[in-house]
Amino acid sequence: MGHTLTSAGLQGIFVECVSSTYNETDMLSASALAHCAYNQDNMIPDDQRGYDLNMFCVPMHYENDLESVLIPSGVIQDRIERLARDIFNDIDGQPLVALCVLKGGYKFFSDLIEKIQILCRNSHKTLPISIDFIRLKSYVDDKSGDIQVIGGDNLSSLTGKNVLIVEDIIDTGNTMLKLLNLLEQSQPKLIKVASLLVKRTPLSVGYKPDYTGFEIPDKFVVGYALDYNEYFRDLGHVCVINEAGKKKYAVQK
């Protein structure tokens, strides 16, 4: 892992990049923010507040429900491109079963597989990939509760195969440990886990995936297919939901 980017360092890099290219009235692009803010490490500090919503295009129906943009879509895509290369090199041409954890993982899964396919088309190596899906549910409102495995009854086909689990976010780690225990019953040859986000939380059991997109503070995030009671999946950036949004979309009891 590279050097951790401190709050002061982040601010300095951001100001330096912005002042050299933009004036006060310019709107920053996601690609510029990617270069300025997250080129040091995949760890987002606890005191990183994110970016003002006015700097990005956010659906009008969510404008009052979000606190900030934590990870812009352009930054997400750049990071996934690197993860794809790491996986492509590590698996080294062995046939791979990519297992998407639904629903929240579908967007990350789709973009990751697409970028691996691009590497296959433009490289002297290849990586045969087959695809499967499993659905888990562990959240009601913003609380992680009982873990339900919905689907995945026919996992015997994974016996003796290399499996890559693709997940949207690892919070406490309990959900992933339950899934790993389930898959190990089918005796695959290898299991690797790629998660777009890993949350730093005192409730964590200490599990870390093989491939991590971003390590984030203990905040409830939505967007890029991550939901809050099935809302916000249509949001392109990873954002922090505010209290008004939680109340608005809470499950009615």
Side-chain angles (χ1 to χ4, degrees):
M1 182 175 288
H3 298 294
T4 301
L5 187 58
T6 64
S7 176
L10 178 64
Q11 184 178 21
I13 293 172
F14 185 82
V15 171
E16 180 179 353
C17 291
V18 173
S19 62
S20 64
T21 312
Y22 301 92
N23 59 47
E24 290 183 351
T25 60
D26 284 326
M27 182 175 293
L28 301 182
S29 69
S31 60
L33 288 170
H35 174 74
C36 294
Y38 295 120
N39 62 350
Q40 295 286 319
D41 205 327
N42 68 342
M43 179 186 292
I44 300 177
D46 288 336
D47 57 358
Q48 167 68 0
R49 297 179 60 186
Y51 303 109
D52 193 285
L53 297 176
N54 293 325
M55 301 173 77
F56 300 92
C57 293
V58 175
M60 290 182 62
H61 50 280
Y62 292 142
E63 285 181 346
N64 297 322
D65 307 319
L66 301 170
E67 182 179 307
S68 64
V69 174
L70 186 64
I71 314 176
S73 61
V75 181
I76 296 170
Q77 293 302 320
D78 285 349
R79 182 65 183 139
I80 294 175
E81 185 174 21
R82 178 53 190 263
L83 291 177
R85 190 176 77 178
D86 291 344
I87 293 167
F88 182 77
N89 290 333
D90 290 348
I91 302 300
D92 197 26
Q94 302 178 60
L96 181 69
V97 178
L99 183 62
C100 176
V101 180
L102 297 171
K103 296 182 183 175
Y106 85 86
K107 183 65 174 169
F108 175 42
F109 181 84
S110 175
D111 289 342
L112 179 65
I113 297 303
E114 180 182 14
K115 287 173 171 54
I116 293 176
Q117 290 173 335
I118 291 173
L119 289 169
C120 288
R121 294 197 299 267
N122 296 279
S123 172
H124 295 296
K125 298 194 301 181
T126 189
L127 180 57
I129 299 177
S130 57
I131 291 172
D132 207 343
F133 300 88
I134 190 169
R135 184 177 172 189
L136 307 178
K137 185 175 179 63
S138 62
Y139 275 95
V140 176
D141 292 342
D142 59 347
K143 300 294 189 299
S144 181
D146 292 336
I147 300 163
Q148 297 176 306
V149 179
I150 308 170
D153 293 331
N154 185 23
L155 297 175
S156 59
S157 61
L158 300 178
T159 302
K161 296 183 179 179
N162 299 308
V163 179
L164 175 69
I165 301 171
V166 182
E167 173 71 290
D168 56 351
I169 184 169
I170 292 177
D171 193 329
T172 64
N174 285 318
T175 301
M176 183 53 62
L177 288 179
K178 181 168 184 176
L179 177 56
L180 288 171
N181 288 333
L182 178 66
L183 293 182
E184 285 170 357
Q185 296 174 19
S186 299
Q187 298 182 326
K189 178 181 177 182
L190 174 73
I191 301 179
K192 295 283 189 179
V193 178
S195 181
L196 177 66
L197 305 175
V198 173
K199 186 181 292 188
R200 291 190 301 276
T201 168
L203 300 178
S204 172
V205 297
Y207 174 79
K208 297 292 183 182
D210 302 281
Y211 305 98
T212 299
F214 300 92
E215 184 178 303
I216 65 171
D218 190 11
K219 299 179 180 181
F220 198 92
V221 293
V222 294
Y224 193 71
L226 284 85
D227 75 303
Y228 181 80
N229 294 331
E230 298 301 328
Y231 293 94
F232 299 99
R233 295 195 194 276
D234 55 335
L235 178 63
H237 314 291
V238 171
C239 299
V240 180
I241 187 174
N242 62 24
E243 292 303 318
K246 291 179 182 179
K247 183 179 297 185
K248 179 178 178 180
Y249 297 111
V251 171
Q252 300 300 318
K253 300 178 181 179

